[in-house]
Amino acid sequence: MTDSWQTLVVPGYDGSGPEHWQSRWEAAEPEWRRVEQRDWLAPERADWVAALDAAVAGAELPVVLVAHSLGCATVAHWAAAQPERAGRVRAALLVAPADVERIEDLPLSPFAPVPTTRLPFPTLVVGSDDDPYCAPERAAGFARAWGAEYVELAAAGHINSASGLGEWPAGRALLEQLVATAG
C-alpha cells in the first residue's frame, strides 16, 4: 500500500490459512508482517499480547493493524496494556471480533473479558449479520466502546475463508479508506 507505515496482520484462533483473505493480502504485499503466535490452537492472552507488542516495538515505521476474530481481542488487550506504545499505531481494521465471553466451543476464555475502553487510534470494526462467533449487536457494541466506526456485512458469516470472500476486495477498499482518512 505504501512505505510510510508497516502493516501488521493479526490473525485469530487457528491462524489464517492460505485461503483466508488475510493470507491473500499478505501474499500480495510482501512487506506486510504477520504477528506469529507460539500456539494458534491453545491461545494464551499474555503470550498473544506480548507477540503483538514485540511486533509493534520492532516496526521501524508507524503501524497499521489488520486483525481478525481473536486478533481483535488481542489488539484491545494490547492497547489497554501498552498505552504508550499504542501511539505508534496509525489505524486498525478489526474484522469479525470474536465474542470470547459467549463462545463455549473454543478455548478462548483467557481473553475474557474483552476490554471496552476507547482505542487510541482510528479504528474500523467490520461485522456480519450472521457471524456465528459474534452477534451483530455485540460487534456494534464493541465498535461503540472502542470509539470505532462500524460496518455490518450481510450474510458474510465469520468473514473468513469459509465465507467464500476470496481476496475480499471490498475489505481491502475499507482498509485503504481507513488509512487514507487516518492521516
Side-chain angles (χ1 to χ4, degrees):
M1 287 175 61
T2 183
D3 56 349
S4 62
W5 64 83
Q6 172 67 60
T7 301
L8 297 178
V9 176
V10 188
Y13 176 81
D14 199 20
S16 294
E19 298 304 313
H20 196 286
W21 57 268
Q22 281 185 314
S23 298
R24 290 172 182 240
W25 291 4
E26 279 181 88
E29 303 285 348
E31 69 279 3
W32 288 21
R33 297 291 169 254
R34 176 176 291 232
V35 177
E36 292 290 343
Q37 299 298 343
R38 184 179 55 80
D39 192 335
W40 292 108
L41 297 176
E44 291 296 331
R45 182 172 72 196
D47 293 344
W48 282 43
V49 169
L52 177 55
D53 189 52
V56 172
E60 296 178 12
L61 298 167
V63 171
V64 171
L65 300 173
V66 178
H68 179 260
S69 191
L70 190 58
C72 300
T74 302
V75 168
H77 281 291
W78 171 79
Q82 297 293 341
E84 68 286 345
R85 200 159 356 252
R88 300 205 60 215
V89 176
R90 180 174 178 176
L93 176 67
L94 305 181
V95 179
D99 190 352
V100 299
E101 295 162 34
R102 295 188 173 106
I103 298 172
E104 296 177 2
D105 60 337
L106 296 173
L108 308 183
S109 61
F111 289 79
V114 174
T116 54
T117 54
R118 185 176 184 84
L119 295 175
F121 37 79
T123 304
L124 174 63
V125 174
V126 181
S128 173
D129 65 1
D130 66 346
D131 188 338
Y133 299 111
C134 189
E137 302 80 21
R138 184 80 163 142
F142 284 136
R144 278 191 304 278
W146 295 335
E149 184 180 341
Y150 180 66
V151 172
E152 186 173 293
L153 305 181
H158 194 49
I159 315 175
N160 57 9
S161 46
S163 300
L165 299 170
E167 300 278 335
W168 194 31
R172 189 63 185 259
L174 289 171
L175 174 62
E176 290 172 5
Q177 180 182 8
L178 171 66
V179 171
T181 59

